[in-house]
Amino acid sequence: MNQSTNIIETLRTRFGQALLMEQPSLDNIPTVWCVQEKAADLLRYLKEQVDGPYPMLYDLTAIDERRRTKRADQPPADFTVVYHLSSFARNGDIRIKVPLTGEYPAIASITSLWPAANWYEREIFDMFGIGFEGHPALYRILLPATWEGHPLRKEHPCRATEMGPFQLPVEKQQREEEALRFQPAAWGLESDGKDTDYMFLNLGPQHPGTHGIFRITLQLDGEEIMAAVPEIGFHHRGAEKMGERQTWHTYIPYTDRVDYLGGVMNNLAYVLGVEKLAGIVVPDRAKVIRIMLAELFRVSNHLIWLGTFVQDVGAMSPVFFTFNDREHIFDIITAVTGGRMHPSWFRIGGVAMDLPDGWDRLVRQFLAYLPPRLQEYECLVMANTIFKARTQGIGSYTIAQALDWGVTGPGLRACGLEWDLRKKRPYAGYDQFQFEIPTAQNGDCYDRAVVRLAEIRQSLLIIKQCLDNMPAGPFKADHPLTTPPPRERTLQHIETLIPHFLGTGWGPVIPAGEVCVPIEAAKGIYSYYLISAGDIRAYRIRIRAPSFPHLQMVPAISRGLLVPDLLAILGSIDYVMADADR
Amino acid sequence: MMLILKHLLVVFGVLAAALSASAGLVWLERRLLGLWQDRYGPNRVGPFGLLQVAADGLKMFFKEDWVPPFADKPVFILAPVLALITALLAFAVIPFTAEIMVADLNIGLLFFLAIVSLGVYGVALGGWSSNNKYALIGAVRGVAQMLSYEVFMGLSLMGVVLLTGSFNLREIVLAQQNMWFCIPQFPGLLIFMIAGFAETHRMPFDLPEAESELVAGYHTEYSGMKFGLFFVGEYLGITMTSAMIVTLFFGGWLGPVLPPLVWFAGKTLVFICLFILVRATLPRPRYDQLMAFAWKVFLPLSLLNLVITGAVVVAGR
């Protein structure tokens, strides 16, 4: 692409020898390697000086390269740190890769450049043991402080059974408990102010207002929040590590559980990446089925979000209404897939089965059912004076702040940036649909609700278009890597039966390469950075989940507010802990 | 002798009625909420789930009577008792009919206000003695809220007193024979109702409990029958406030054809349902908003109401 050669030429003239090489990329994201010493300068240049800057640190992760094969074309490295930046002016991303050598290498921190880098660097430290010089508080984030080893290093076992039986003798238990002792100073909390003693309030991990196992410790002056320290990781299941042991095909059900309210939307981000690696072109019918199901899950996600958010603000009824509405969506999902929250319905190369007879009647009924309900929510919730008083002007941030913290999705659109990947970089066939990008202006809790309600209506529009224009034809691609291949062909055609046998019994062999397809998921931009070494399983899977940066921002936007405001903010940003902790 | 017997009968009758009404409310509230929230509510135990009350009561009785080791034990036990007793005491002055009332006090209304003020101790001591931060925050909120709202709760009723010329609740009802006070004293009614919600810390003014923020607020550490006492106290509070609204603004037992007691009970039930409907509908304001609302809106408004009523009464002489 022109644009990508442009930025690389610019960087080459500016940084010369520091740029090691340009890596060809499948996903149209220009990828350059940069020496460690110059990396921070290069990133600062990209964020602040270059024409068409990259204001958002979209993702920051690492790869353990030590056992990787088929990377002869890349600079030598034991570990690679990957910075993924996003530009809105250019409508393009860039990936900066920095090679590191040594068993436990270190690199300069970029927390001064992007506050969002803080948690990402802690995660890399936690998972790989890579140090970050100049990081303000580099300690484990997802795993307990007493964990031994760094799980995403290749020498770390994949299964608990490889680690020997678990034992908890008394002294170990005491050690673990001692490690959990609350030390305010270690977390940067002060106990005395000039004239007041502060109170520490531990919210979570078990608390009705935190939606899952999330802990946030508050330093309070009365009820005013002076400082807040979130703690995550209670929901960590090692989804990325599992990707290194499951086959490309059998990993699909794991993706459902990442954002457990997003259903097949998770599958979509994953299979789009795999299909790009494999070079599969999905037939139209599969595309439209995927979009329809994904949008149904977006509606479902936003409905649940609305109910729980309003419950956090104190109204007890809407949560029952929206859960009931979701049942109507699940009726469709069950009819199509047999599942409810985790259908695992998308496959490499299409979807698992064709739509059942009568699916259109169910969808049509739902399209008629929901709009009057939405109207009720507008009256019951959005027009309510108390609700407005509780949410307007609370937890607001500007576009600049949002980009600094890596906020995407409805939270970003609520501050006025019209940015929706379905429109800006259409994927999976969204370019064929007509819809709008709802935005709001103030970026506060109320506007986030406004945007999401409007998005539900847009999603209904998309579903309507799917219903009216469902193409005929196959629901799976005719490609050797489609897993499993179309059944009627496997029954008659030996050349299809063999890949079926291999693909399901052993696993499809996906060509070597690296790919990342960001999608506009319900909670924000979401992607799987897939690295294949030409095996039946991924060499590394990186899940970029929107809840992670959104939660990181909470202390910054809740300082100076009251405890009830914090709950309103937590309710409004729409996270699930499975998504943040993975 | 007969007089004493009759009086005892009334006392125990009122006690039994109040307690069984509040027990029935547990069922009524859950069924009504179920109706309004597109779900069933308790419908398994007994006809229409009516025995749910018995099941809940039994469950609470047989739970461990737990006092947290870090709590201030005597106060911790005293608090729920206070909450229940203050709620019960106020029933003493409510005239159910012209004859049925426990105490026909000349200062009935003042007695009611005084008892309502005492209700704050249940919340304050419960939250304080629990030695739990959530309970403490809940208690602080509760005390501030109840103290602020009782100021103009009293003021809002002074209009009624001016119109009647008496603090005696029976006389207040009798004075409504031509016109219920809800018409001339409409602002007073509105303010009293809102203050009533705040005093009983019911949704939308349940800030002392604020489930999504403070877990369970001032009674976080309570379980078993001690929690049950708070629970019953809350329902007694609803019944009492509804009964007071009926007595002061809706002509108490007055009404054609049906017996007076039926009128009284029926009217009270309407307001109890209103309490529950409000709970099902509204979100919860923030603590500082609630206080600002009290002092900046309701206090001036109730004073204004008092002044205008006074002027009208004086002009009418």
Side-chain angles (χ1 to χ4, degrees):
Chain A
M1 271 169 62
N2 262 343
Q3 227 178 18
S4 70
T5 49
N6 271 345
I7 181 67
I8 287 171
E9 280 316 305
T10 320
L11 287 179
R12 205 181 285 286
T13 48
R14 168 121 187 162
F15 288 91
Q17 291 303 309
L19 239 55
L20 292 170
M21 67 165 292
E22 180 196 345
Q23 183 184 325
S25 61
L26 278 169
D27 48 13
N28 288 332
I29 300 174
T31 305
V32 288
W33 287 77
C34 172
V35 296
Q36 184 184 347
E37 294 75 28
K38 285 281 176 192
D41 291 342
L42 183 96
L43 292 167
R44 183 173 298 278
Y45 174 73
L46 283 172
K47 184 189 179 191
E48 290 167 356
Q49 292 154 21
V50 75
D51 237 17
Y54 292 83
M56 187 165 84
L57 178 71
Y58 170 72
D59 196 9
L60 169 51
T61 187
I63 306 163
D64 180 354
E65 306 272 19
R66 291 171 300 167
R67 294 189 190 167
R68 185 162 166 197
T69 52
K70 299 189 184 166
R71 66 178 295 277
D73 52 336
Q74 297 179 11
D78 289 329
F79 292 90
T80 309
V81 173
V82 186
Y83 301 87
H84 186 152
L85 313 183
S86 269
S87 168
F88 302 90
R90 288 171 180 268
N91 188 10
D93 288 6
I94 188 168
R95 198 181 284 132
I96 313 293
K97 298 176 88 173
V98 180
L100 302 177
T101 48
E103 274 296 290
Y104 289 93
I107 184 174
S109 164
I110 56 159
T111 41
S112 57
L113 201 52
W114 274 287
N118 189 320
W119 277 17
Y120 285 112
E121 290 181 350
R122 278 175 64 192
E123 188 186 352
I124 296 177
F125 165 73
D126 195 357
M127 293 296 157
F128 292 93
I130 297 175
F132 287 87
E133 290 148 7
H135 190 286
L138 193 65
Y139 56 95
R140 288 189 186 272
I141 182 166
L142 294 178
L143 299 175
T146 50
W147 189 270
E148 284 162 20
H150 300 276
L152 285 181
R153 294 170 75 95
K154 286 291 174 184
E155 71 266 21
H156 197 90
C158 252
R159 292 172 188 275
T161 46
E162 293 169 46
M163 300 168 74
F166 177 77
Q167 278 167 340
L168 190 62
V170 178
E171 60 273 23
K172 186 181 178 192
Q173 188 183 343
Q174 283 165 347
R175 210 165 55 235
E176 296 275 347
E177 280 176 3
E178 193 53 37
L180 291 175
R181 185 176 295 282
F182 175 55
Q183 288 167 324
W187 285 9
L189 297 172
E190 298 160 20
S191 43
D192 320 285
K194 223 163 112 197
D195 314 307
T196 45
D197 290 347
Y198 296 126
M199 176 164 96
F200 299 115
L201 187 69
N202 177 48
L203 238 93
Q206 294 293 340
H207 186 281
T210 57
H211 300 266
I213 33 181
F214 169 64
R215 178 187 186 195
I216 186 162
T217 306
L218 306 173
Q219 175 190 327
L220 295 177
D221 180 6
E223 279 204 38
E224 191 185 334
I225 298 166
M226 311 298 290
V229 182
E231 194 187 350
I232 64 171
F234 300 100
H235 211 311
H236 180 65
R237 297 142 302 166
E240 294 178 5
K241 185 80 174 174
M242 287 175 197
E244 297 173 15
R245 72 156 206 243
Q246 297 303 125
T247 70
W248 292 100
H249 174 58
T250 57
Y251 188 61
I252 293 174
Y254 289 88
T255 64
D256 277 22
R257 277 113 182 124
V258 172
D259 168 8
Y260 55 73
L261 296 178
V264 296
M265 201 108 65
N266 300 280
N267 303 162
L268 185 62
Y270 174 71
V271 295
L272 284 177
V274 181
E275 282 158 7
K276 195 157 261 185
L277 277 173
I280 301 174
V281 179
V282 178
D284 285 343
R285 187 173 174 87
K287 279 186 185 170
V288 179
I289 295 175
R290 282 177 177 185
I291 287 177
M292 186 176 77
L293 293 181
E295 292 304 321
L296 281 171
F297 267 104
R298 189 188 309 278
V299 174
S300 143
N301 176 80
H302 285 4
L303 284 172
I304 295 307
W305 169 83
L306 179 73
T308 50
F309 172 44
V310 180
Q311 194 186 32
D312 285 345
V313 181
M316 68 178 303
S317 292
V319 71
F320 293 104
F321 300 151
T322 59
F323 266 85
N324 273 347
D325 293 346
R326 184 172 76 155
E327 287 307 310
H328 287 79
I329 297 178
F330 280 163
D331 285 347
I332 304 174
I333 302 292
T334 316
V336 175
T337 71
R340 281 163 54 89
M341 286 174 79
H342 310 300
S344 311
W345 193 244
F346 296 175
R347 294 288 181 271
I348 301 167
V351 294
M353 279 189 220
D354 206 352
L355 293 171
D357 288 345
W359 67 274
D360 49 332
R361 188 173 45 82
L362 287 174
V363 175
R364 196 165 285 120
Q365 277 170 358
F366 177 70
L367 287 175
Y369 163 82
L370 197 62
R373 299 282 288 190
L374 291 179
Q375 195 54 44
E376 257 179 61
Y377 303 145
E378 297 274 354
C379 299
L380 180 67
V381 178
M382 303 303 286
N384 186 295
T385 322
I386 300 177
F387 180 73
K388 284 184 182 167
R390 283 295 308 276
T391 53
Q392 282 178 344
I394 300 300
S396 61
Y397 46 78
T398 62
I399 296 180
Q401 274 177 304
L403 299 184
D404 259 353
W405 285 100
V407 173
T408 52
L412 180 59
R413 293 189 279 275
C415 24
L417 186 64
E418 195 194 34
W419 191 261
D420 188 324
L421 288 187
R422 290 176 294 170
K423 267 268 195 268
K424 301 289 178 185
R425 302 178 200 165
Y427 56 90
Y430 273 107
D431 48 337
Q432 302 297 317
F433 290 84
Q434 286 178 340
F435 60 98
E436 281 160 21
I437 311 176
T439 55
Q441 291 310 317
N442 306 314
D444 55 16
C445 294
Y446 187 79
D447 280 7
R448 293 197 268 281
V450 169
V451 167
R452 289 203 176 86
L453 268 176
E455 270 184 24
I456 295 180
R457 294 181 194 278
Q458 295 302 321
S459 290
L460 292 180
L461 268 182
I462 298 176
I463 297 167
K464 176 89 172 48
Q465 292 169 50
C466 293
L467 176 67
D468 293 342
N469 306 298
M470 182 61 73
F475 58 92
K476 267 183 188 173
D478 185 11
H479 189 283
L481 287 172
T482 297
T483 314
R487 182 167 169 77
E488 55 282 9
R489 282 170 59 86
T490 58
L491 296 177
Q492 291 162 4
H493 189 213
I494 187 67
E495 292 299 333
T496 318
L497 180 62
I498 293 168
H500 180 278
F501 193 68
L502 291 176
T504 50
W506 189 39
V509 177
I510 301 295
E514 297 180 12
V515 80
C516 169
V517 184
I519 70 161
E520 190 70 41
K523 295 178 163 55
I525 301 180
Y526 177 75
S527 64
Y528 284 72
Y529 179 32
L530 305 172
I531 294 173
S532 169
D535 200 352
I536 56 164
R537 56 179 69 88
Y539 181 77
R540 160 112 174 89
I541 289 181
R542 159 68 183 170
I543 308 168
R544 194 279 183 188
S547 300
F548 187 78
H550 292 177
L551 274 177
Q552 183 176 195
M553 194 190 194
V554 167
I557 55 176
S558 55
R559 200 160 296 136
L561 301 176
L562 302 177
V563 176
D565 295 330
L566 173 75
L567 274 305
I569 291 172
L570 286 180
S572 76
I573 59 175
D574 190 14
Y575 62 88
V576 296
M577 286 320 292
D579 194 37
D581 295 346
R582 284 153 287 133
Chain B
M1 190 62 204
M2 277 308 285
L3 203 67
I4 292 173
L5 264 182
K6 190 186 157 209
H7 209 74
L8 277 177
L9 197 69
V10 169
V11 169
F12 284 104
V14 168
L15 188 67
L19 286 176
S20 54
S22 70
L25 268 188
V26 178
W27 174 83
L28 181 72
E29 168 153 50
R30 290 169 66 179
R31 287 297 298 213
L32 281 181
L33 285 179
L35 181 73
W36 288 321
Q37 291 170 349
D38 295 351
R39 57 194 178 85
Y40 291 112
N43 65 350
R44 298 287 133 156
V45 198
F48 305 107
L50 266 170
L51 291 179
Q52 187 69 39
V53 181
D56 284 357
L58 277 177
K59 183 190 79 175
M60 291 223 194
F61 264 117
F62 287 103
K63 281 215 166 176
E64 185 186 354
D65 188 31
W66 164 251
V67 179
F70 45 80
D72 184 345
K73 196 173 175 190
V75 186
F76 188 83
I77 295 171
L78 184 67
V81 177
L82 271 180
L84 184 75
I85 287 181
T86 50
L88 268 179
L89 267 181
F91 279 94
V93 288
I94 292 174
F96 295 91
T97 69
E99 292 86 35
I100 304 178
M101 59 195 299
V102 175
D104 187 9
L105 297 182
N106 277 333
I107 50 150
L109 191 61
L110 290 182
F111 179 84
F112 164 76
L113 290 172
I115 291 298
V116 165
S117 305
L118 285 179
V120 78
Y121 283 103
V123 174
L125 296 180
W128 172 260
S129 64
S130 296
N131 246 330
N132 170 312
K133 288 172 184 172
Y134 287 109
L136 183 67
I137 295 179
V140 169
R141 284 181 181 189
V143 171
Q145 167 181 333
M146 290 167 83
L147 288 183
S148 311
Y149 274 74
E150 78 185 29
V151 169
F152 58 82
M153 181 184 226
L155 280 175
S156 70
L157 298 183
M158 289 311 127
V160 171
V161 175
L162 276 179
L163 290 178
T164 318
S166 168
F167 281 113
N168 185 313
L169 287 172
R170 195 165 54 88
E171 282 173 30
I172 289 177
V173 174
L174 290 173
Q176 300 181 56
Q177 259 159 352
N178 296 325
M179 181 172 38
W180 290 354
F181 283 155
C182 59
I183 297 163
Q185 278 299 308
F186 188 69
L189 165 68
L190 224 55
I191 295 166
F192 179 74
M193 267 173 67
I194 291 171
F197 278 104
E199 285 295 317
T200 49
H201 36 89
R202 283 280 299 183
M203 271 296 222
F205 298 148
D206 68 337
L207 286 90
E209 311 172 29
E211 184 236 344
S212 60
E213 301 156 19
L214 299 184
V215 189
Y218 67 93
H219 58 58
T220 304
E221 293 292 345
Y222 282 91
S223 63
M225 208 49 214
K226 289 204 205 66
F227 166 74
L229 291 185
F230 275 124
F231 202 57
V232 173
E234 180 177 325
Y235 284 110
L236 281 176
I238 300 170
T239 318
M240 178 197 45
T241 312
S242 305
M244 282 306 283
I245 292 173
V246 170
T247 308
L248 295 168
F249 296 98
F250 288 88
W253 66 82
L254 300 175
V257 189
L258 295 169
L261 199 58
V262 174
W263 272 108
F264 184 84
K267 288 179 193 172
T268 307
L269 186 66
V270 169
F271 285 99
I272 288 173
C273 293
L274 185 72
F275 262 79
I276 299 170
L277 180 61
V278 167
R279 177 176 181 206
T281 315
L282 290 182
R284 176 191 309 126
R286 213 172 49 211
Y287 165 62
D288 57 320
Q289 291 166 342
L290 187 78
M291 300 306 269
F293 211 46
W295 294 105
K296 290 181 186 161
V297 180
F298 283 134
L299 185 65
L301 212 65
S302 50
L303 283 173
L304 192 69
N305 179 44
L306 183 61
V307 170
I308 292 175
T309 313
V312 170
V313 169
V314 171
R317 285 225 172 107

